[in-house]
Amino acid sequence: MTATTLTMSPSCPLPLPAMDRVQLGHGSGGKMSAELLRTHFLPLLDNPVLRQLGDAAVVLVPGGEIAMSTDTFVVSPLEFPGGNIGSLAVHGTLNDLAMMGARPRFLSTGFILEEGLPFDVLDRAIAAMAAAARESKVMLVAGDTKVVERGRADGMYVNTTGVGIIDAQFCPRPDAVRTGDVLLVSGPIARHGMAIMSAREGLEFEAQIESDSASLVPLVELLRERVGSAVHALRDPTRGGVASALNELAASSNVGVMLEEASINVPAPVAAACEMLGLDPLYVANEGVLVAFVDPASAADALAALRSHPLGASATIAGHAVADHRGMVVLVTRIGSRRVVDMLPGDQLPRIC
Amino acid sequence: MTATTLTMSPSCPLPLPAMDRVQLGHGSGGKMSAELLRTHFLPLLDNPVLRQLGDAAVVLVPGGEIAMSTDTFVVSPLEFPGGNIGSLAVHGTLNDLAMMGARPRFLSTGFILEEGLPFDVLDRAIAAMAAAARESKVMLVAGDTKVVERGRADGMYVNTTGVGIIDAQFCPRPDAVRTGDVLLVSGPIARHGMAIMSAREGLEFEAQIESDSASLVPLVELLRERVGSAVHALRDPTRGGVASALNELAASSNVGVMLEEASINVPAPVAAACEMLGLDPLYVANEGVLVAFVDPASAADALAALRSHPLGASATIAGHAVADHRGMVVLVTRIGSRRVVDMLPGDQLPRIC
């Protein structure tokens, strides 16, 4: 924005607001809002649909079922090893669509900006959002920005909503786990939550822990191609971790879940950090891991499919669905004992996503 | 939620959190999150799609174009004469879809709740959201809730994202205004902004001013049925008011706009309040008004269509598009003088929607 558009009158020179930070006026719907779009959002997010700036985006879909998912991101801090709120907001919603077997196609985003947010932080979030969308071949077609007074947000909050196309031949559903199904976990767990904790608290662990924030779409495509309808249920274990995701699937499908502690991959620095903070990695958030329940006849092929991609290189078979203790998850520990892995009542780690 | 789920150990009775307010744990993804959904959101918003609680909602659409729109609501106060943040969040997004000629079908919503928000305020917002969606025959199919610490939000913020079906025979677009087109304004202006101001400041005007927050879908349906493709452009003048909406259409379509002050309906209490506060009603937000540019041959029919519905009973012809001063809006005042109605640079009223 040029300085002149803010000068109210040539005879009364006002102190110009510092334009390296978000001002309340950027949320006004007037010229400053238009400038915010033109100078910060559109250069990075531009595409033929968004450029029209209509009240709504108009996009073409084939007839049939579509999937729709929404997620709001309030992660603190806004930037962390392995990502920022912009990349996280894209991955989170794409992954939710992918867990229903949908092919993500379109995204919308709504930003709440706190007055005083430095534009360089905003620009990095927008750039990461654009890169994540491009990488996953989804188009960001609609957006909205609001500004609230200093002290009424925490830098920024970001909502993303995604639309994907359902493939009638590939419909994993949370209530479709069958007893006997094999449980696969696509990679090392608890990295996102511990990366956030280390960034938030300024903790120095033996090695820097990076968030696993990533699009799970490529892994789901591999499962679709190689084993298709043998995949009965998928879930990305974000807030509440693997333990909560498995509890939800066990409850929805009315099966028991047996989980083998020895087959769960917790990277050594993550395990050390969890131990230091008194956290159980099974409850810590992931943003680039999926759990899958697969027909036993296709489990080996599904495992090979996951392992053929870098994101799934260390995938494991980590348990199975059983007819006992329906609706519950039981962990077989390394020493062979068994304990119930319940859902936590409340918070282990707030503001993780 | 029963008290027992929060008691950490029977031998160490903790003070139970007061459950009439939102706690941080309600955002954890654990049992408290599930209880928040089960006891506050699902009873009011329940439908067969939402009930599945999958990672994404799966819904059926016909093949062709769909419209997608997103809007985040940070209105302060959360409740005001004529509505609350819940009804506003539904109307705002439905109206954006309707302005592109789409028939709204599905909504998602993302809530950011501040720790300590009284549940009765939340429940009234959810109830108003449910009523507004039901009234407009749209299904709320996906949702998300996050909780942030006290002082990191302002009660609650709400995002809604909508999907509508495009009718190939009815495609009003912001760049499709033609010179000669007649401008219609569907009702009295500046009510929403002044209702918020009076609620916020505790101002007592001669009469209570109610927000005009309403779904514009019925008015658009009437225009579609009666004059169809003669409607070239539609816009709902929210943030920035009628002045900003007309400036945007003038710029997108590269036409001039002549606006007749005498034909703009500003209710007497609204005009008095604007005068008292030094505000120009042309820049004050509306949430239940549309402006339409219509082929002159169909203008009378379009006006009659609007007037046949209570929401458009006082619709007027308020100007037209011209080949002069392209990209600009010129007001013909009551005394016959002319002045340019520019976009404001920044804020007249923050946090209005």
Side-chain angles (χ1 to χ4, degrees), chain A residues 202-253:
Chain A
L203 299 177
E204 298 270 333
F205 300 120
E206 53 194 284
Q208 171 160 291
I209 299 170
E210 285 212 347
S211 168
D212 60 339
S213 177
S215 167
L216 293 166
V217 173
L219 291 188
V220 175
E221 281 301 308
L222 286 166
L223 289 175
R224 182 203 312 269
E225 284 164 19
R226 308 277 185 86
V227 297
S229 61
V231 178
H232 297 156
L234 292 172
R235 189 140 254 184
D236 59 329
T238 57
R239 270 190 296 186
V242 168
S244 301
L246 292 180
N247 267 283
E248 287 165 9
L249 293 176
S252 296
S253 294

Short mmCIF file of all heavy atoms in Angstrom, two decimals, chain A residues 202-253:
data_model
loop_
_atom_site.label_atom_id
_atom_site.label_comp_id
_atom_site.label_asym_id
_atom_site.label_seq_id
_atom_site.Cartn_x
_atom_site.Cartn_y
_atom_site.Cartn_z
N GLY A 202 10.67 -23.73 24.50
CA GLY A 202 12.10 -23.47 24.30
C GLY A 202 12.95 -24.61 24.85
O GLY A 202 14.07 -24.41 25.30
N LEU A 203 12.38 -25.82 24.83
CA LEU A 203 13.11 -26.97 25.37
C LEU A 203 14.18 -27.41 24.38
O LEU A 203 13.99 -27.38 23.18
CB LEU A 203 12.15 -28.14 25.63
CG LEU A 203 11.05 -27.87 26.63
CD1 LEU A 203 10.13 -29.07 26.75
CD2 LEU A 203 11.64 -27.51 28.00
N GLU A 204 15.29 -27.83 24.90
CA GLU A 204 16.37 -28.36 24.06
C GLU A 204 16.48 -29.84 24.37
O GLU A 204 16.90 -30.23 25.44
CB GLU A 204 17.70 -27.67 24.39
CG GLU A 204 17.72 -26.19 24.15
CD GLU A 204 18.17 -25.84 22.73
OE1 GLU A 204 18.92 -26.63 22.14
OE2 GLU A 204 17.76 -24.77 22.24
N PHE A 205 16.07 -30.65 23.41
CA PHE A 205 16.25 -32.08 23.59
C PHE A 205 17.55 -32.48 22.91
O PHE A 205 18.21 -31.67 22.26
CB PHE A 205 15.06 -32.84 23.01
CG PHE A 205 13.77 -32.47 23.68
CD1 PHE A 205 12.72 -31.93 22.94
CD2 PHE A 205 13.59 -32.62 25.05
CE1 PHE A 205 11.53 -31.57 23.54
CE2 PHE A 205 12.40 -32.27 25.66
CZ PHE A 205 11.37 -31.74 24.91
N GLU A 206 17.91 -33.76 23.02
CA GLU A 206 19.20 -34.19 22.45
C GLU A 206 19.26 -33.94 20.95
O GLU A 206 20.30 -33.66 20.39
CB GLU A 206 19.44 -35.67 22.77
CG GLU A 206 18.27 -36.57 22.37
CD GLU A 206 18.37 -37.96 23.00
OE1 GLU A 206 19.19 -38.73 22.51
OE2 GLU A 206 17.64 -38.25 23.98
N ALA A 207 18.11 -34.03 20.27
CA ALA A 207 18.06 -33.72 18.84
C ALA A 207 16.80 -32.91 18.60
O ALA A 207 15.81 -33.08 19.31
CB ALA A 207 18.02 -35.00 18.02
N GLN A 208 16.84 -32.00 17.62
CA GLN A 208 15.64 -31.22 17.34
C GLN A 208 14.55 -32.15 16.81
O GLN A 208 14.79 -32.99 15.95
CB GLN A 208 15.92 -30.13 16.31
CG GLN A 208 14.63 -29.45 15.85
CD GLN A 208 14.86 -28.10 15.23
OE1 GLN A 208 15.24 -27.15 15.90
NE2 GLN A 208 14.62 -28.00 13.95
N ILE A 209 13.34 -31.99 17.36
CA ILE A 209 12.22 -32.81 16.91
C ILE A 209 11.43 -32.00 15.90
O ILE A 209 11.01 -30.88 16.18
CB ILE A 209 11.32 -33.20 18.10
CG1 ILE A 209 12.14 -34.02 19.11
CG2 ILE A 209 10.11 -33.96 17.62
CD1 ILE A 209 11.42 -34.26 20.42
N GLU A 210 11.23 -32.57 14.70
CA GLU A 210 10.46 -31.89 13.67
C GLU A 210 9.05 -32.44 13.62
O GLU A 210 8.83 -33.65 13.75
CB GLU A 210 11.11 -32.09 12.30
CG GLU A 210 12.34 -31.26 12.09
CD GLU A 210 12.52 -30.85 10.63
OE1 GLU A 210 11.83 -31.40 9.75
OE2 GLU A 210 13.35 -29.96 10.39
N SER A 211 8.09 -31.54 13.39
CA SER A 211 6.73 -31.98 13.16
C SER A 211 6.69 -32.90 11.95
O SER A 211 7.45 -32.71 11.00
CB SER A 211 5.83 -30.78 12.91
OG SER A 211 4.56 -31.21 12.42
N ASP A 212 5.78 -33.87 11.97
CA ASP A 212 5.59 -34.74 10.80
C ASP A 212 4.57 -34.18 9.83
O ASP A 212 4.17 -34.88 8.89
CB ASP A 212 5.16 -36.14 11.27
CG ASP A 212 3.84 -36.10 12.07
OD1 ASP A 212 3.48 -35.02 12.59
OD2 ASP A 212 3.18 -37.15 12.17
N SER A 213 4.12 -32.93 10.04
CA SER A 213 3.06 -32.34 9.22
C SER A 213 3.31 -32.60 7.73
O SER A 213 4.32 -32.20 7.17
CB SER A 213 3.01 -30.82 9.48
OG SER A 213 2.03 -30.21 8.66
N ALA A 214 2.37 -33.31 7.11
CA ALA A 214 2.51 -33.69 5.69
C ALA A 214 1.15 -34.11 5.16
O ALA A 214 0.26 -34.48 5.92
CB ALA A 214 3.48 -34.86 5.56
N SER A 215 1.04 -34.05 3.85
CA SER A 215 -0.18 -34.56 3.21
C SER A 215 -0.12 -36.08 3.17
O SER A 215 0.87 -36.67 2.72
CB SER A 215 -0.28 -34.02 1.79
OG SER A 215 -1.28 -34.75 1.09
N LEU A 216 -1.21 -36.71 3.61
CA LEU A 216 -1.30 -38.17 3.56
C LEU A 216 -1.92 -38.65 2.25
O LEU A 216 -2.11 -39.86 2.05
CB LEU A 216 -2.13 -38.67 4.75
CG LEU A 216 -1.48 -38.46 6.12
CD1 LEU A 216 -2.48 -38.65 7.25
CD2 LEU A 216 -0.30 -39.42 6.30
N VAL A 217 -2.23 -37.71 1.37
CA VAL A 217 -2.89 -38.07 0.11
C VAL A 217 -2.08 -39.10 -0.68
O VAL A 217 -2.64 -40.08 -1.17
CB VAL A 217 -3.20 -36.80 -0.72
CG1 VAL A 217 -3.73 -37.17 -2.10
CG2 VAL A 217 -4.21 -35.93 0.03
N PRO A 218 -0.74 -38.95 -0.80
CA PRO A 218 0.00 -39.95 -1.58
C PRO A 218 -0.09 -41.36 -0.99
O PRO A 218 -0.19 -42.34 -1.74
CB PRO A 218 1.45 -39.43 -1.53
CG PRO A 218 1.35 -37.99 -1.21
CD PRO A 218 0.12 -37.83 -0.38
N LEU A 219 -0.08 -41.46 0.34
CA LEU A 219 -0.19 -42.80 0.95
C LEU A 219 -1.57 -43.40 0.66
O LEU A 219 -1.69 -44.60 0.39
CB LEU A 219 0.04 -42.72 2.47
CG LEU A 219 1.45 -42.39 2.95
CD1 LEU A 219 1.52 -42.55 4.47
CD2 LEU A 219 2.48 -43.28 2.27
N VAL A 220 -2.59 -42.56 0.75
CA VAL A 220 -3.95 -43.07 0.50
C VAL A 220 -4.09 -43.49 -0.96
O VAL A 220 -4.72 -44.51 -1.28
CB VAL A 220 -5.00 -42.02 0.90
CG1 VAL A 220 -6.40 -42.49 0.52
CG2 VAL A 220 -4.92 -41.75 2.40
N GLU A 221 -3.46 -42.74 -1.88
CA GLU A 221 -3.51 -43.12 -3.30
C GLU A 221 -2.86 -44.48 -3.51
O GLU A 221 -3.35 -45.31 -4.28
CB GLU A 221 -2.80 -42.06 -4.16
CG GLU A 221 -3.65 -40.82 -4.42
CD GLU A 221 -4.96 -41.17 -5.12
OE1 GLU A 221 -4.95 -41.86 -6.16
OE2 GLU A 221 -6.01 -40.76 -4.59
N LEU A 222 -1.73 -44.72 -2.84
CA LEU A 222 -1.06 -46.01 -2.96
C LEU A 222 -1.93 -47.15 -2.43
O LEU A 222 -2.04 -48.21 -3.06
CB LEU A 222 0.29 -45.97 -2.22
CG LEU A 222 1.38 -45.17 -2.93
CD1 LEU A 222 2.54 -44.88 -1.99
CD2 LEU A 222 1.87 -45.93 -4.17
N LEU A 223 -2.59 -46.91 -1.29
CA LEU A 223 -3.48 -47.94 -0.75
C LEU A 223 -4.64 -48.20 -1.71
O LEU A 223 -5.03 -49.35 -1.95
CB LEU A 223 -4.01 -47.51 0.62
CG LEU A 223 -3.00 -47.52 1.78
CD1 LEU A 223 -3.63 -46.95 3.04
CD2 LEU A 223 -2.49 -48.94 2.04
N ARG A 224 -5.18 -47.12 -2.26
CA ARG A 224 -6.30 -47.25 -3.20
C ARG A 224 -5.89 -48.11 -4.40
O ARG A 224 -6.61 -49.05 -4.79
CB ARG A 224 -6.72 -45.85 -3.68
CG ARG A 224 -7.92 -45.83 -4.62
CD ARG A 224 -7.96 -44.57 -5.48
NE ARG A 224 -7.77 -43.35 -4.73
CZ ARG A 224 -8.76 -42.63 -4.19
NH1 ARG A 224 -9.99 -43.01 -4.36
NH2 ARG A 224 -8.49 -41.53 -3.53
N GLU A 225 -4.70 -47.80 -4.95
CA GLU A 225 -4.25 -48.52 -6.16
C GLU A 225 -3.94 -49.98 -5.87
O GLU A 225 -4.27 -50.86 -6.66
CB GLU A 225 -2.97 -47.86 -6.71
CG GLU A 225 -3.20 -46.57 -7.43
CD GLU A 225 -1.90 -45.79 -7.61
OE1 GLU A 225 -0.81 -46.41 -7.50
OE2 GLU A 225 -1.97 -44.57 -7.83
N ARG A 226 -3.27 -50.23 -4.74
CA ARG A 226 -2.75 -51.58 -4.52
C ARG A 226 -3.74 -52.52 -3.85
O ARG A 226 -3.71 -53.72 -4.13
CB ARG A 226 -1.48 -51.52 -3.66
CG ARG A 226 -0.41 -50.57 -4.15
CD ARG A 226 0.47 -51.15 -5.20
NE ARG A 226 1.53 -50.18 -5.50
CZ ARG A 226 2.68 -50.08 -4.83
NH1 ARG A 226 2.95 -50.92 -3.85
NH2 ARG A 226 3.56 -49.15 -5.16
N VAL A 227 -4.55 -52.00 -2.91
CA VAL A 227 -5.45 -52.93 -2.20
C VAL A 227 -6.91 -52.49 -2.19
O VAL A 227 -7.78 -53.24 -1.76
CB VAL A 227 -4.96 -53.20 -0.75
CG1 VAL A 227 -3.59 -53.88 -0.77
CG2 VAL A 227 -4.90 -51.94 0.07
N GLY A 228 -7.17 -51.27 -2.66
CA GLY A 228 -8.55 -50.80 -2.88
C GLY A 228 -9.49 -51.07 -1.72
O GLY A 228 -9.23 -50.65 -0.58
N SER A 229 -10.57 -51.78 -2.01
CA SER A 229 -11.64 -51.92 -1.02
C SER A 229 -11.25 -52.81 0.17
O SER A 229 -12.05 -52.97 1.10
CB SER A 229 -12.90 -52.46 -1.69
OG SER A 229 -12.60 -53.74 -2.24
N ALA A 230 -10.05 -53.38 0.15
CA ALA A 230 -9.60 -54.13 1.34
C ALA A 230 -9.30 -53.18 2.50
O ALA A 230 -9.17 -53.63 3.65
CB ALA A 230 -8.36 -54.96 1.00
N VAL A 231 -9.19 -51.88 2.22
CA VAL A 231 -9.00 -50.89 3.29
C VAL A 231 -10.38 -50.57 3.87
O VAL A 231 -11.21 -49.97 3.20
CB VAL A 231 -8.34 -49.61 2.75
CG1 VAL A 231 -8.19 -48.59 3.88
CG2 VAL A 231 -7.00 -49.91 2.11
N HIS A 232 -10.61 -50.97 5.09
CA HIS A 232 -11.94 -50.79 5.68
C HIS A 232 -12.10 -49.46 6.40
O HIS A 232 -13.18 -48.88 6.41
CB HIS A 232 -12.25 -51.95 6.63
CG HIS A 232 -12.31 -53.26 5.93
ND1 HIS A 232 -12.10 -54.47 6.55
CD2 HIS A 232 -12.54 -53.57 4.62
CE1 HIS A 232 -12.22 -55.45 5.67
NE2 HIS A 232 -12.48 -54.93 4.49
N ALA A 233 -11.02 -48.99 7.06
CA ALA A 233 -11.11 -47.72 7.81
C ALA A 233 -9.75 -47.05 7.84
O ALA A 233 -8.71 -47.72 7.90
CB ALA A 233 -11.60 -47.97 9.23
N LEU A 234 -9.77 -45.73 7.76
CA LEU A 234 -8.55 -44.92 7.86
C LEU A 234 -8.81 -43.80 8.86
O LEU A 234 -9.92 -43.26 8.93
CB LEU A 234 -8.22 -44.26 6.50
CG LEU A 234 -7.80 -45.13 5.34
CD1 LEU A 234 -7.72 -44.30 4.06
CD2 LEU A 234 -6.44 -45.77 5.64
N ARG A 235 -7.77 -43.42 9.59
CA ARG A 235 -7.90 -42.22 10.43
C ARG A 235 -6.52 -41.62 10.62
O ARG A 235 -5.52 -42.32 10.72
CB ARG A 235 -8.54 -42.56 11.78
CG ARG A 235 -8.90 -41.32 12.60
CD ARG A 235 -10.25 -41.47 13.32
NE ARG A 235 -11.29 -40.68 12.70
CZ ARG A 235 -12.54 -40.56 13.19
NH1 ARG A 235 -12.91 -41.19 14.28
NH2 ARG A 235 -13.43 -39.82 12.57
N ASP A 236 -6.47 -40.28 10.68
CA ASP A 236 -5.21 -39.62 11.00
C ASP A 236 -5.26 -39.22 12.47
O ASP A 236 -6.11 -38.45 12.90
CB ASP A 236 -4.95 -38.42 10.09
CG ASP A 236 -6.03 -37.36 10.14
OD1 ASP A 236 -7.21 -37.70 10.38
OD2 ASP A 236 -5.71 -36.17 9.97
N PRO A 237 -4.36 -39.76 13.27
CA PRO A 237 -4.45 -39.56 14.72
C PRO A 237 -3.84 -38.21 15.14
O PRO A 237 -2.71 -38.15 15.58
CB PRO A 237 -3.65 -40.74 15.29
CG PRO A 237 -2.71 -41.13 14.19
CD PRO A 237 -3.32 -40.72 12.89
N THR A 238 -4.64 -37.16 15.04
CA THR A 238 -4.18 -35.81 15.39
C THR A 238 -4.40 -35.58 16.89
O THR A 238 -3.84 -36.30 17.70
CB THR A 238 -4.87 -34.77 14.49
OG1 THR A 238 -6.28 -34.91 14.63
CG2 THR A 238 -4.50 -34.99 13.02
N ARG A 239 -5.17 -34.52 17.26
CA ARG A 239 -5.46 -34.27 18.67
C ARG A 239 -5.85 -35.55 19.38
O ARG A 239 -6.74 -36.26 18.92
CB ARG A 239 -6.70 -33.34 18.79
CG ARG A 239 -6.42 -31.90 18.82
CD ARG A 239 -7.68 -31.10 19.19
NE ARG A 239 -8.78 -31.21 18.22
CZ ARG A 239 -9.91 -30.51 18.28
NH1 ARG A 239 -10.10 -29.65 19.27
NH2 ARG A 239 -10.85 -30.63 17.38
N GLY A 240 -5.23 -35.83 20.50
CA GLY A 240 -5.57 -37.04 21.24
C GLY A 240 -4.74 -38.25 20.82
O GLY A 240 -4.78 -39.28 21.47
N GLY A 241 -4.01 -38.14 19.69
CA GLY A 241 -3.05 -39.15 19.29
C GLY A 241 -3.65 -40.47 18.83
O GLY A 241 -4.86 -40.60 18.61
N VAL A 242 -2.76 -41.46 18.69
CA VAL A 242 -3.16 -42.79 18.21
C VAL A 242 -4.19 -43.41 19.15
O VAL A 242 -5.16 -44.04 18.71
CB VAL A 242 -1.91 -43.69 18.09
CG1 VAL A 242 -2.31 -45.15 17.89
CG2 VAL A 242 -1.00 -43.21 16.94
N ALA A 243 -4.02 -43.18 20.45
CA ALA A 243 -4.93 -43.79 21.42
C ALA A 243 -6.37 -43.33 21.19
O ALA A 243 -7.30 -44.14 21.15
CB ALA A 243 -4.49 -43.43 22.85
N SER A 244 -6.57 -42.02 21.00
CA SER A 244 -7.93 -41.51 20.82
C SER A 244 -8.51 -41.96 19.49
O SER A 244 -9.69 -42.33 19.40
CB SER A 244 -7.93 -39.98 20.90
OG SER A 244 -7.42 -39.56 22.15
N ALA A 245 -7.69 -41.95 18.42
CA ALA A 245 -8.18 -42.36 17.10
C ALA A 245 -8.65 -43.82 17.14
O ALA A 245 -9.71 -44.16 16.61
CB ALA A 245 -7.09 -42.17 16.05
N LEU A 246 -7.85 -44.69 17.78
CA LEU A 246 -8.23 -46.10 17.83
C LEU A 246 -9.47 -46.30 18.71
O LEU A 246 -10.33 -47.13 18.39
CB LEU A 246 -7.06 -46.94 18.36
CG LEU A 246 -5.86 -47.02 17.41
CD1 LEU A 246 -4.75 -47.87 18.03
CD2 LEU A 246 -6.24 -47.56 16.04
N ASN A 247 -9.57 -45.54 19.81
CA ASN A 247 -10.78 -45.63 20.63
C ASN A 247 -12.02 -45.23 19.82
O ASN A 247 -13.07 -45.87 19.92
CB ASN A 247 -10.66 -44.73 21.86
CG ASN A 247 -10.12 -45.48 23.07
OD1 ASN A 247 -10.86 -46.23 23.70
ND2 ASN A 247 -8.84 -45.31 23.35
N GLU A 248 -11.90 -44.17 19.01
CA GLU A 248 -13.04 -43.74 18.21
C GLU A 248 -13.44 -44.81 17.18
O GLU A 248 -14.61 -45.09 16.99
CB GLU A 248 -12.72 -42.41 17.50
CG GLU A 248 -12.71 -41.22 18.47
CD GLU A 248 -12.05 -39.98 17.88
OE1 GLU A 248 -11.75 -39.96 16.66
OE2 GLU A 248 -11.84 -39.02 18.64
N LEU A 249 -12.44 -45.40 16.53
CA LEU A 249 -12.74 -46.44 15.54
C LEU A 249 -13.33 -47.68 16.22
O LEU A 249 -14.29 -48.28 15.71
CB LEU A 249 -11.48 -46.81 14.75
CG LEU A 249 -10.92 -45.72 13.84
CD1 LEU A 249 -9.61 -46.18 13.19
CD2 LEU A 249 -11.93 -45.32 12.76
N ALA A 250 -12.78 -48.05 17.38
CA ALA A 250 -13.30 -49.21 18.11
C ALA A 250 -14.77 -48.99 18.48
O ALA A 250 -15.60 -49.90 18.35
CB ALA A 250 -12.45 -49.47 19.36
N ALA A 251 -15.07 -47.77 18.92
CA ALA A 251 -16.45 -47.46 19.32
C ALA A 251 -17.37 -47.43 18.10
O ALA A 251 -18.46 -48.02 18.10
CB ALA A 251 -16.50 -46.12 20.06
N SER A 252 -16.95 -46.75 17.01
CA SER A 252 -17.81 -46.62 15.82
C SER A 252 -18.08 -47.98 15.20
O SER A 252 -19.18 -48.24 14.70
CB SER A 252 -17.15 -45.73 14.76
OG SER A 252 -17.01 -44.42 15.24
N SER A 253 -17.06 -48.84 15.17
CA SER A 253 -17.20 -50.14 14.49
C SER A 253 -17.62 -51.26 15.45
O SER A 253 -17.84 -52.39 15.00
CB SER A 253 -15.87 -50.53 13.83
OG SER A 253 -15.55 -49.64 12.79
#
